[in-house]
Amino acid sequence: MSSTLTERPAPAAAARPDATPRRRTRVFTLPEARWAAVATVLFLVALPLQLTGAPTWTWGVLYGLAYAAGGWEPALAGLQALREKTLDVDLLMIVAALGAAAVGQVMDGALLIVIFAASGALEALATARTADSVRGLLDLAPATATRLREDGGEETVPTADLAVGDTVLVRPGERIGADGRVLGGASDVDQATITGEPLPVAKEPGDEVFAGTLNGTGALRIKVDRDASDSVIARIVQMVEEASETKAPTQLFIEKVEQRYSIGMVAATLAVFAVPLALGAALTGSLLRAMTFMIVASPCAVVLATMPPLLSAIANAGRHGVLVKSAVVMERLGQVDAVALDKTGTLTEGTPRVTDVRPLTGSGLTENELLRLAAAAEHPSEHPLARAVVDAARARGLAVPVAEDFAATPGVGVAATVDGRKVAVGTPARLSSGAEDPHIAIAAELEDGGRTAVLVVADGAPAGVLGIADRL
């Protein structure tokens, strides 16, 4: 594992917080939520009036309005399904609620309406929040890009108009507008939005870059390899959208048997009502018994308990940066016995820290002196590895001198004058003079142990190697 150290000026550092303007659907912008809230309020006002013995007309009207507010949408959906010769759970719920009211159980029917309306509102909210996460992903890609014309001029165009083969210029601190390969320039690119890795990745001619990632300190000329609709981020967005449309096995089973079950339940309800009535039972008692059976036997509870929780879980995961491929995957998580996790930012902090300080024999430097030189050279840089070196020096109580003539070379490292000595810090592969250098074995040992090796050169000679790693 190798890394580079480059300077990150204020514009690039400031560009990171603009990743995505948080979009979050407010609950009461959804009509389902508004109607559910109205039905709930009416029910909560009517219930104490009924329980305290208020006149029937006071709470009866409120219950009626609760029926209308919470039930008109499922009633309309049920009637539309019935017109297509399909019997669904929405219509059964409405019939059950009206049947309860018909036998004097107005409060029970209103409660059923409120529960059903609230469930529908939660499902609509979960779906909207999933769409929010999709829009947030779309915001990662910039709206415009700088396209280079054949005559050498520049033009600003919408990223959607970029075509395969176009060449775009990405300046320091800008977001890359399309998937492609670097034609010229060198820089570090923050790909955390795509890969989750917290450390910028060095990019040189021939390297692949992705739309929506953040360019560092260097300017890049990039040849577009994919249309905007086929970019990595577009495919992620498509995956999230498909996730909200998939159905879990439980829901598929319910939908498979719902039609037959509903018809069977209606027939059973009619039998529960008609048979006792034919044998001489009272009309009210037979109707009450039939309505009770319909409410208890209705699959409403199973339907309500299936998809809304899955949609809510998918949306909640998306808000926390976890993209779930489908509801099938989310449901199967309950059957998981073992999990393999990507380490960075999951099992680890995502913040690199110095773990090893190895001065070379013959350099004449102690660990503290080596770390002090490296920290002074790295101090002006805002690269995550540079901050790790500076933090390590401060943790040891070392006085970090002021560096002069600071320079950062993308893909190589940094250089500065510290106490009159020329100090360079960067990746061993770029600062080494040959494969036989003594620090090569130390760097290989550190990298084999999962650390990032950073070489410190003083006055042109390797002085030591630093090991940097992420902590659990």
Side-chain angles (χ1 to χ4, degrees):
M1 180 190 304
S2 62
S3 183
T4 59
L5 297 174
T6 60
E7 180 183 14
R8 186 178 295 271
R16 187 174 181 85
D18 72 350
T20 52
R22 176 73 64 169
R23 296 188 182 187
R24 189 176 176 86
T25 299
R26 295 185 178 182
V27 175
F28 291 108
T29 59
L30 301 173
E32 295 90 346
R34 293 196 296 269
W35 286 114
V38 170
T40 302
V41 170
L42 290 169
F43 177 82
L44 293 177
V45 173
L47 181 61
L49 291 176
Q50 180 186 14
L51 297 178
T52 55
T56 303
W57 65 268
T58 57
W59 50 265
V61 171
L62 293 174
Y63 277 140
L65 293 175
Y67 273 74
W72 76 269
E73 283 188 313
L76 180 60
L79 291 175
Q80 290 175 341
L82 191 61
R83 187 172 58 183
E84 298 174 359
K85 299 180 180 180
T86 302
L87 189 63
D88 67 3
V89 70
D90 291 327
L91 189 60
L92 291 179
M93 185 276 300
I94 293 297
V95 171
L98 294 177
V103 296
Q105 304 298 321
V106 181
M107 185 271 288
D108 300 86
L111 179 59
L112 181 60
I113 290 284
V114 168
I115 292 174
F116 208 83
S119 174
L122 290 174
E123 183 172 353
L125 180 61
T127 303
R129 293 285 169 83
T130 301
D132 291 343
S133 66
V134 173
R135 286 196 298 269
L137 289 171
L138 289 171
D139 288 336
L140 291 176
T144 60
T146 302
R147 183 166 60 189
L148 300 179
R149 298 195 299 265
E150 293 183 0
D151 60 5
E154 300 178 4
E155 58 181 349
T156 301
V157 298
T159 52
D161 292 345
L162 293 175
V164 175
D166 286 347
T167 301
V168 296
L169 174 65
V170 183
R171 295 184 171 87
E174 293 184 343
R175 288 196 175 274
I176 297 173
D179 287 5
R181 291 195 176 274
V182 178
L183 291 179
S187 184
D188 290 333
V189 177
D190 185 346
Q191 299 185 152
T193 53
I194 299 295
T195 66
E197 289 290 337
L199 297 181
V201 179
K203 298 294 183 180
E204 299 176 335
D207 291 338
E208 186 177 20
V209 292
F210 306 106
T213 55
L214 181 64
N215 186 27
T217 57
L220 297 175
R221 287 187 298 110
I222 298 170
K223 180 180 180 181
V224 178
D225 281 348
R226 300 188 189 97
D227 291 329
S229 60
D230 194 39
S231 66
V232 171
I233 194 169
R235 292 200 298 269
I236 293 176
V237 169
Q238 182 181 6
M239 183 182 72
V240 178
E241 289 176 333
E242 290 174 352
S244 64
E245 298 173 359
T246 56
K247 296 180 180 180
T250 302
Q251 186 185 17
L252 291 174
F253 173 76
I254 291 172
E255 292 182 355
K256 183 177 181 180
V257 303
E258 178 183 2
Q259 178 68 15
R260 297 176 182 176
Y261 180 85
S262 298
I263 294 175
M265 195 191 69
V266 170
T269 300
L270 293 175
V272 171
F273 171 71
V275 172
L277 189 64
L279 296 177
L283 175 63
T284 301
S286 299
L287 185 58
L288 178 60
R289 189 180 300 107
M291 289 300 100
T292 302
F293 174 81
M294 173 175 280
I295 294 173
V296 172
S298 174
C300 302
V302 179
V303 173
L304 298 182
T306 303
M307 203 55 193
L310 289 172
L311 286 172
S312 179
I314 292 173
N316 188 48
R319 290 196 301 273
H320 289 83
V322 180
L323 302 182
V324 181
K325 185 176 182 180
S326 66
V328 175
V329 173
M330 180 61 76
E331 186 177 54
R332 286 181 179 173
L333 282 177
Q335 305 168 6
V336 168
D337 297 318
V339 180
L341 300 174
D342 177 78
K343 68 175 182 64
T344 305
T346 306
L347 300 179
T348 62
E349 294 177 352
T351 302
R353 299 179 186 272
V354 174
T355 58
D356 300 85
V357 181
R358 302 276 191 91
L360 296 178
T361 303
S363 67
L365 299 176
T366 64
E367 288 189 5
N368 285 348
E369 290 171 342
L370 176 65
L371 186 59
R372 177 176 172 273
L373 286 178
E378 293 282 22
H379 189 269
S381 176
E382 293 188 12
H383 193 284
L385 294 186
R387 291 196 294 269
V389 174
V390 175
D391 290 344
R394 289 173 175 168
R396 295 193 181 198
L398 302 179
V400 180
V402 177
E404 300 175 349
D405 303 324
F406 175 84
T409 304
V412 178
V414 300
T417 301
V418 181
D419 292 339
R421 306 185 68 177
K422 298 291 185 180
V423 179
V425 184
T427 177
R430 296 304 179 88
L431 298 181
S432 299
S433 58
E436 301 300 325
D437 288 341
H439 66 273
I440 295 296
I442 298 176
E445 176 190 345
L446 293 175
E447 292 178 351
D448 288 342
R451 275 97 79 190
T452 298
V454 176
L455 176 63
V456 182
V457 178
D459 294 327
V465 182
L466 305 179
I468 302 177
D470 203 355
R471 294 198 310 182
L472 291 176

